[in-house]
Amino acid sequence: MTPQYPIRQYPIRRRLPLRGLGVLGLLLAVLGGLLGTAGPAQAVGYRYWSFWERDGGGWTYATQGPSFLRPEDGTVQGFRFAVSEDSQDSTKPRGDAGFAAICAGTPAKDGTKRVALVLDFGTSDDAPDGETPPKPRTACARVAEDATTADALAAVAGPLRYDGNALLCAIAGYPQTGCGEQVSSGSSGSSRSSGSSGSGERPATSPAADPTSTSASGGAEGDDSGPSLGLAAGLAAVALLGAAAVWQARRRRG
């Protein structure tokens, strides 16, 4: 009699059901559509007071904050309120009046210095909701020899307003509210995308900080530079459906 040997059984690997393949294919198609229709990130800017220095006949963005810079007698400096995407490309103060014209009525005095200031409150497009910008003006501040630009500004353009991070928010009381808020690129005052004194990479015309530096508080709330909410929700749905399809396939295998 022929001996009977046990037949060794090898596990058979089942293929994923065609229905599962169809579901995964559909999910990949949906994912591709979401990625393909995602729009470009919307540029954002910040509404704030920028700080400038007159260099010859033109304006250059200040490299020090108003409280650090101690201008010499005869210096011309400017502040401009505007919405800008980049502190280095901010709208410059308007007007070309020089020191002689601005400080003509302010004679020199021993133990003091004179600083000419150009104050440009911006346009109605840059103004916060419900506010009207004052007309640009100039002022001549006669201050102590060791005074900073912040001291000169306080002497002729009060009241000034600062936020908790020492960011310059208002000159001569303008604007009444808000401080370095984020707004959509090309939008008017009614289209801001975050609240006042928001954190993030907003330019800081601060009496205690370099105006070209960024805030140390991290990423801005409401930043539009990342993926859209719809795209994030779509990716989450694709992941969930994909997990369900794999679970169903394994369940049929068992």
Side-chain angles (χ1 to χ4, degrees):
M1 177 180 296
T2 304
Q4 298 294 324
Y5 295 98
I7 300 176
R8 188 174 182 179
Q9 301 292 329
Y10 292 91
I12 300 176
R13 296 190 180 185
R14 296 184 180 180
R15 296 183 179 180
L16 188 65
L18 294 179
R19 182 179 300 177
L21 290 175
V23 172
L24 290 180
L26 178 60
L27 293 178
L28 291 175
V30 172
L31 177 59
L34 287 172
L35 295 175
T37 57
Q42 186 178 23
V44 294
Y46 296 88
R47 181 186 288 116
Y48 71 105
W49 279 100
S50 56
F51 178 35
W52 301 81
E53 295 182 281
R54 178 71 64 82
D55 182 11
W59 292 104
T60 59
Y61 201 87
T63 57
Q64 290 182 296
S67 70
F68 290 129
L69 190 59
R70 300 181 185 276
E72 298 180 355
D73 181 79
T75 300
V76 180
Q77 297 179 321
F79 290 84
R80 172 66 188 264
F81 187 77
V83 174
S84 173
E85 295 179 24
D86 187 336
S87 60
Q88 296 298 330
D89 295 327
S90 300
T91 305
K92 299 177 181 180
R94 292 168 293 180
D96 55 1
F99 176 82
I102 297 174
C103 291
T106 306
K109 185 178 179 179
D110 291 341
T112 65
K113 63 183 177 183
R114 295 170 296 167
V115 180
L117 297 173
V118 176
L119 308 177
D120 190 337
F121 297 85
T123 67
S124 58
D125 288 339
D126 295 327
D129 293 338
E131 297 198 47
T132 301
K135 293 182 179 180
R137 64 184 178 92
T138 61
C140 184
R142 186 165 59 191
V143 292
E145 292 180 335
D146 63 345
T148 65
T149 300
D151 296 328
L153 186 63
V156 297
L160 307 180
R161 178 167 58 86
Y162 297 95
D163 72 356
N165 297 318
L167 176 70
L168 178 60
C169 304
I171 296 177
Y174 180 82
Q176 297 180 6
T177 61
C179 192
E181 61 264 37
Q182 186 182 85
V183 296
S184 298
S185 177
S187 67
S188 63
S190 61
S191 301
R192 71 184 60 176
S193 59
S194 68
S196 63
S197 67
S199 62
E201 298 180 356
R202 58 188 171 117
T205 307
S206 166
D210 187 312
T212 60
S213 67
T214 58
S215 171
S217 55
E221 295 179 2
D223 189 358
D224 294 330
S225 61
S228 66
L229 181 60
L231 177 58
L235 293 176
V238 168
L240 182 60
L241 292 174
V246 173
W247 175 84
Q248 185 179 13
R250 289 180 177 177
R251 183 168 175 270
R252 291 182 177 182
R253 249 187 277 172

